């Protein structure tokens, strides 16, 4: 069984033999290694489980149609904009195992996702103003325009898959072998996509090879909208009817875009949105990207439109007079200040939670607690807090308990008392019993005694079951 080369293994890059250096990182498809003899290059070696030979034609197509994205040099530092293959890599037996590419300084880059939300950007030490975000949007559009010129497409385009250099704000594209690649008479498609960035026409069946550029144009517009509008997704907002879907993919599919030049009748914009201050030419591009018909703006269209706003000399973007960290479009109010004011107003209107203060101690006791204990004396003992007072019981509950207790005691006392009375009557009956020879008198006495005993029994039942409990309850 063959295995993929690892650190120290001999490889061949083009016609030159060399060895793999230290491992940089390992991903789902392959691992990236340093090349000691080529300090400006690295090698990506595919894992054996992904069948490296299946990538041969794809990488060969990438080598034939390379996008025109030269490295940028600024302040003596080199910035690689795209980690595109520059040669195939084979093992010592000549089997294809991967490719080499320019070494990209990943440690000096950050995910584009981190700059969308102000709080997250501040925590990571990234810029939060509108100016840097427009620059990022313009640079991203330029990189995609060069990629599209060779008919290559990202497809799964989203902020978490994009990186930028913190010092220069240039875009850095990684994992390019996962893009949709145009070959000589054949396309090598990209199966991965994210529903929140998928165009409406592909929401149900996924992107097809003939619509991959349209998909990239839609996803690019979503990312630019988020960069220019505090990270808001263009399909978020306030629904005006219950039939409006709650999830982003369904809203995309049914085109619930709330930030157009014409208001949507079933979806209102987010109150903290900055779309109202965006210049008309940019809003028209967004309307074309998210509208019902027409061709979406290309990456080149966005690059041209955003380039002037990214140039400080153009005067289209000015520094806020109230907050120097903010920038806004010339002739428009500062959207960042408006957002801060709205959030502060909302926080003031929010009902504060009641604060339960502990009971204040007497001034003498408080002063005694604050006074430092003298040396050699034990610290004062803490007086335990009194137990919380119990709430008074309702009257009906007390009466119910009293009646229940009374009936329980009477249920025990009644049989005992009745037995004593019956025993006394029996003794009286024996004492009054006449001579046995007098049978009529005996029958008469038996009838009288039994009638009296029954009457006494009924009276006692009434007294013990009804009269006494009422008397005890009313006391």
């Amino acid at each position: 069984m063959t295995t993929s080369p690892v650190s120290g293994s001999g490889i061949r890059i083009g016609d030159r033999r060399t060895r793999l250096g230290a491992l940089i990182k390992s991903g789902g498809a392959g691992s990236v290694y340093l090349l000691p003899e080529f300090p400006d290059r690295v090698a990506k070696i595919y894992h054996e489980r992904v069948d490296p030979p299946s990538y041969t034609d794809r990488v060969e197509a990438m080598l034939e149609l390379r996008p025109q994205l030269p490295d940028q040099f600024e302040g003596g530092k080199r910035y690689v904009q795209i980690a595109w293959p520059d040669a195939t890599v084979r093992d010592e037996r000549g089997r294809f195992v991967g490719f080499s590419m320019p070494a990209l300084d990943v440690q000096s880059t950050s995910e584009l996702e981190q700059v969308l939300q102000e709080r997250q950007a501040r925590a990571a030490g990234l810029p939060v103003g509108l100016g840097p975000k427009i620059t990022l949007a313009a640079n991203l559009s330029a990189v995609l325009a060069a990629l599209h010129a060779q008919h290559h497409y990202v497809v799964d385009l989203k902020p978490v898959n994009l990186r930028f250099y913190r010092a220069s704000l240039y875009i850095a594209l990684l994992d390019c072998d996962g893009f949709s690649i145009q070959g000589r008479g054949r396309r090598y498609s990209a199966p991965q996509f994210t529903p929140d960035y998928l165009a409406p026409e592909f929401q149900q069946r996924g992107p097809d090879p003939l619509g991959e550029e349209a998909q990239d144009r839609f996803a690019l517009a979503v990312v630019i909208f988020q960069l220019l509008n505090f990270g808001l997704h263009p399909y978020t907002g306030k629904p005006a009817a219950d039939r409006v879907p709650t999830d982003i993919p369904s809203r995309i599919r049914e085109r619930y875009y709330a930030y157009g030049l014409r208001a949507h009748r079933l979806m209102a914009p987010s109150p903290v949105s900055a779309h109202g201050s965006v210049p008309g030419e940019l809003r028209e591009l967004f309307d074309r990207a998210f509208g019902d018909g027409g061709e979406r703006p290309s990456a080149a269209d966005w690059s041209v439109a955003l380039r002037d706003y990214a140039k400080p000399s153009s005067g289209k973007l000015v520094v806020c007079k109230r907050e120097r960290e903010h920038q806004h479009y010339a002739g428009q109010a500062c959207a960042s200040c408006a957002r801060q004011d709205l959030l502060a107003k909302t926080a003031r209107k929010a009902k504060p939670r009641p604060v339960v203060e502990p009971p204040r101690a007497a001034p003498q006791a408080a002063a005694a607690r604050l006074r430092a204990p003298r040396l050699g004396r034990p610290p004062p003992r803490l007086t335990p807090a009194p137990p919380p007072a119990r709430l008074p019981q309702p009257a009906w509950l007390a009466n119910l308990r009293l009646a229940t207790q009374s009936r329980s005691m009477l249920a025990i006392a009644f049989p005992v008392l009745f037995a004593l009375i019956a025993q006394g009557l029996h003794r009286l009956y024996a004492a009054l019993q006449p001579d046995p020879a007098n049978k009529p008198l005996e029958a008469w006495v038996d009838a009288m005694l039994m009638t009296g005993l029954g009457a006494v029994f009924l009276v006692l039942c009434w007294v013990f079951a009804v009269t006494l409990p009422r008397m005890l309850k009313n006391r």
Side-chain angles (χ1 to χ4, degrees):
M1 179 178 178
T2 59
T3 58
S4 299
V6 296
S7 296
S9 299
I11 58 171
R12 193 175 70 210
I13 301 177
D15 296 331
R16 184 166 178 175
R17 296 181 180 276
T18 185
R19 291 187 176 277
L20 291 176
L23 174 67
I24 301 176
K25 71 167 187 175
S26 182
S31 300
V32 180
Y33 295 87
L34 294 174
L35 295 173
E37 297 185 26
F38 305 95
D40 294 336
R41 298 164 71 184
V42 294
K44 179 172 183 177
I45 306 299
Y46 289 109
H47 298 311
E48 193 63 37
R49 63 176 180 270
V50 303
D51 187 21
S54 64
Y55 284 85
T56 305
D57 294 340
R58 175 185 288 267
V59 174
E60 292 287 354
M62 297 176 73
L63 294 174
E64 291 184 15
L65 294 174
R66 180 181 178 86
Q68 298 302 314
L69 285 170
D71 298 342
Q72 300 294 318
F73 293 88
E74 189 175 294
K77 185 174 177 60
R78 171 175 172 252
Y79 296 99
V80 178
Q81 297 186 88
I82 187 167
W84 199 263
D86 55 22
T88 58
V89 173
R90 300 182 180 275
D91 61 14
E92 293 181 326
R93 294 181 297 174
R95 190 176 67 101
F96 174 86
V97 292
F99 59 88
S100 62
M101 58 184 172
L104 194 152
D105 185 10
V106 179
Q107 298 301 322
S108 63
T109 66
S110 296
E111 284 185 4
L112 196 65
E113 176 79 15
Q114 291 183 303
V115 83
L116 297 182
Q117 303 292 337
E118 181 176 345
R119 181 178 298 179
Q120 188 177 7
R122 289 187 184 278
L126 300 176
V128 297
L130 179 61
K133 293 179 181 179
I134 290 183
T135 301
L136 287 170
N139 290 341
L140 174 61
S141 301
V143 169
L144 288 184
L147 193 70
H148 290 176
Q150 298 288 18
H151 304 288
H152 305 312
Y153 309 111
V154 180
V155 181
D156 194 18
L157 181 64
K158 57 184 178 181
V160 74
N161 286 348
L162 300 169
R163 302 190 73 85
F164 69 95
Y165 291 96
R166 294 184 291 272
S168 64
L169 301 182
Y170 287 123
I171 297 296
L173 287 183
L174 302 174
D175 299 324
C176 301
D177 54 327
F179 296 171
S180 175
I181 303 300
Q182 179 62 53
R184 298 294 182 183
R186 179 184 174 184
R187 173 160 292 280
Y188 303 91
S189 62
Q192 301 296 327
F193 60 87
T194 302
D196 282 6
Y197 294 85
L198 193 61
E201 61 268 29
F202 304 130
Q203 281 291 335
Q204 292 183 335
R205 53 186 174 85
D208 58 65
L210 297 178
E212 288 176 334
E213 182 174 0
Q215 164 57 30
D216 265 14
R217 290 185 178 192
F218 177 84
L220 173 62
V222 174
V223 175
I224 294 175
F225 186 93
Q226 292 180 297
L227 283 169
L228 273 54
N229 200 4
F230 306 117
L232 290 175
H233 195 284
Y235 289 88
T236 57
K238 299 174 62 177
D242 293 338
R243 65 189 180 98
V244 176
T246 58
D247 60 298
I248 295 297
S250 296
R251 290 182 177 180
I252 294 175
R253 184 179 66 250
E254 300 181 26
R255 301 179 186 272
Y256 283 100
Y257 173 61
Y259 305 91
L261 292 170
R262 295 179 59 184
H264 196 289
R265 63 185 184 89
L266 294 178
M267 179 75 77
S270 169
V272 296
S273 172
H275 70 285
S277 65
V278 176
E281 61 175 325
L282 298 182
R283 294 192 66 180
E284 289 177 359
L285 291 177
F286 284 127
D287 282 7
R288 286 172 52 192
F290 306 129
D292 292 338
E295 187 179 22
R296 296 188 181 102
S298 66
D301 293 336
W302 282 109
S303 178
V304 172
L306 294 169
R307 189 181 303 154
D308 288 341
Y309 291 95
K311 293 179 180 178
S313 59
S314 68
K316 291 188 173 184
L317 208 65
V318 296
V319 177
C320 177
K321 295 181 179 179
R322 171 181 159 185
E323 181 66 51
R324 302 294 297 177
E325 192 179 34
H326 298 167
Q327 300 94 37
H328 60 86
Y329 302 102
Q332 300 288 338
C334 180
S336 297
C337 288
R339 180 174 181 268
Q340 284 185 353
D341 293 342
L342 179 60
L343 294 176
K345 182 179 179 181
T346 304
R348 288 194 300 268
K349 286 185 177 180
K351 184 178 180 181
R353 295 181 178 178
V355 179
V356 180
E357 296 184 358
R360 295 184 179 180
Q364 296 82 0
R369 285 198 300 270
L370 293 175
R371 190 181 300 119
R374 296 180 181 178
L375 296 177
R377 297 179 61 185
R381 295 183 179 179
L382 297 177
T383 304
R390 294 183 179 179
L391 296 176
Q393 295 181 350
W396 64 268
L397 181 60
N399 294 335
L400 177 63
R401 290 180 176 176
L402 180 60
T404 303
Q405 295 173 357
S406 301
R407 285 181 169 84
S408 298
M409 291 186 295
L410 294 177
I412 299 174
F414 176 75
V416 176
L417 184 59
F418 184 77
L420 294 175
I421 294 174
Q423 185 179 7
L425 291 176
H426 177 72
R427 292 176 180 176
L428 178 62
Y429 171 75
L432 296 177
Q433 186 175 11
D435 185 65
N438 194 354
K439 295 296 182 180
L441 180 61
E442 181 181 357
W444 179 83
V445 172
D446 285 343
M448 292 295 292
L449 288 177
M450 292 304 295
T451 302
L453 187 61
V456 171
F457 177 77
L458 293 176
V459 170
L460 290 177
C461 286
W462 176 264
V463 171
F464 280 89
V466 178
T467 305
L468 285 180
R470 287 183 178 179
M471 294 174 59
L472 293 173
K473 179 179 179 180
N474 295 329
R475 289 185 58 181

